[in-house]
Amino acid sequence: HPNRHINVTLLPFGRRQRLLLARDISHLTRLEQIRRDFVANVSHELRTPLTVIHGYLELIDPEDVPELAPVLNEMRAQSKRMGQIVEDLLTLSRLETQEHVQDERVPMTPLLATLRKEAEALSQGRHQVTLEATADVDLLGSPKDLHSALSNLVSNAVRYTPTGGRIVIRWRRTADGAVYSVTDTGYGIPASHLARLTERFYRVSSSRSRESGGTGLGLSIVKHVLNLHQARLDIQSEPGQGSTFSCWFNNQRLLVPGDPE
Ligand code: ADP
């Protein structure tokens, strides 16, 4: 039936038999749809009031009301943060409903240079940032989404690495594709948290994450963008030593510079 979602599993049963298990999961799919629509609607409805509040706050000059300056600055910072959460939720809703991406060439040389600059701007000289690009290949996919995913890993590396640490952005070939990775010498992540890291709002330490200015949605966005590009996220981390976040792209997603698409 077109409106029913059936989950089918084939299990070994005895020595020569198989057990076919069919479960009707239509109600779960419907609930999931309701949840998605709800989040998308709420985010959308919050956008306009937030823009208005933020706009008016920008109009007030703290110098005109010096006694309120700290309050004003905090209000501005918080409304900006809320705006970022709403934008990230809207991005996630779009990525969740999207089935595939419009393929375009994503030239890697300029993108990697931009990512490095972003890291340096965010770090403000507090870290040593290096780029090691040995793969001379471009990506095929959505330039905007790939940029936001790859850039998320860079900003996490900066935000979760104390001053004096090192950050290395790499782009290299593998046997059947290419890997983009970001290595940091930061706080690291205990193994017990790794499996849940890409869930929305999941945080290892909520106080540290809040201070660092993230929305808690970054890695969910990364995971969805990579899924849409048939790529895989791999996380290696050692608490107190640092982490490496790697995105594995297969050959179908690679283009040699200069070749037609
Ligand atoms: P946030 O906005 O909180 O950074 P993310 O989805 O980007 O949200 O990351 C989820 C959590 O994963 C973070 O709160 C942090 O605890 C952990 N994390 C992400 N990247 C790193 C990293 N490079 N080093 C250590 N912890 C990290």
Side-chain angles (χ1 to χ4, degrees):
H1 191 282
N3 291 331
R4 290 215 131 354
H5 283 89
I6 312 291
N7 182 314
V8 180
T9 323
L10 195 61
L11 297 167
F13 189 65
R15 274 218 300 159
R16 303 187 49 191
Q17 298 171 67
R18 297 282 181 276
L19 185 68
L20 184 76
L21 206 64
R23 278 184 305 161
D24 185 340
I25 55 160
S26 313
H27 59 294
L28 289 181
T29 330
R30 207 169 54 245
L31 274 179
E32 182 60 19
Q33 185 63 44
I34 293 171
R35 179 193 64 78
R36 271 187 212 159
D37 291 349
F38 179 75
V39 173
N41 289 338
V42 170
S43 316
H44 198 80
E45 291 301 324
L46 286 176
R47 214 182 199 176
T48 313
L50 262 173
T51 312
V52 174
I53 293 172
H54 196 71
Y56 280 135
L57 282 173
E58 289 294 314
L59 284 181
I60 308 173
D61 188 346
E63 284 184 11
D64 291 344
V65 272
E67 69 281 14
L68 285 182
V71 177
L72 258 177
N73 287 334
E74 183 64 11
M75 285 168 83
R76 279 184 186 177
Q78 295 296 338
S79 79
K80 194 168 158 208
R81 186 169 143 70
M82 210 158 146
Q84 191 57 54
I85 296 176
V86 166
E87 289 311 311
D88 279 2
L89 280 172
L90 284 168
T91 302
L92 256 184
S93 301
R94 170 176 64 78
L95 291 169
E96 275 182 338
T97 42
Q98 208 170 314
E99 275 167 17
H100 42 78
V101 285
Q102 191 103 43
D103 283 342
E104 275 177 55
R105 176 189 288 274
V106 185
M108 285 306 278
T109 307
L111 177 56
L112 290 164
T114 305
L115 292 166
R116 181 213 190 129
K117 282 204 195 93
E118 285 175 4
E120 282 165 350
L122 199 60
S123 157
Q124 296 183 319
R126 290 179 298 115
H127 310 88
Q128 182 197 327
V129 181
T130 39
L131 170 65
E132 288 174 14
T134 53
D136 190 16
V137 278
D138 291 334
L139 276 172
L140 186 63
S142 153
K144 187 167 138 265
D145 291 338
L146 283 169
H147 180 192
S148 77
L150 305 189
S151 144
N152 241 305
L153 299 181
V154 167
S155 71
N156 279 352
V158 174
R159 292 188 295 115
Y160 298 109
T161 302
T163 300
R166 285 192 314 277
I167 290 154
V168 188
I169 304 168
R170 288 194 182 87
W171 177 235
R172 59 185 169 85
R173 287 305 294 261
T174 60
D176 55 358
V179 179
Y180 165 87
S181 67
V182 182
T183 301
D184 64 56
T185 57
Y187 304 115
I189 304 147
S192 58
H193 292 276
L194 289 181
R196 300 193 55 195
L197 224 53
T198 58
E199 286 175 21
R200 310 149 175 242
F201 299 116
Y202 188 85
R203 280 149 166 175
V204 176
S205 146
S206 48
S207 58
R208 183 180 285 160
S209 303
R210 213 159 292 130
E211 275 167 29
S212 77
T215 61
L217 297 166
L219 289 178
S220 309
I221 293 178
V222 171
K223 191 187 76 178
H224 277 92
V225 170
L226 292 184
N227 279 349
L228 282 170
H229 291 82
Q230 296 80 44
R232 193 167 55 78
L233 177 68
D234 174 69
I235 310 168
Q236 303 285 330
S237 191
E238 192 71 52
Q241 303 288 314
S243 320
T244 295
F245 285 72
S246 314
C247 311
W248 295 70
F249 294 92
N250 65 35
N251 274 326
Q252 277 86 53
R253 284 280 158 203
L254 304 182
L255 291 170
V256 175
D259 264 14
E261 278 161 36

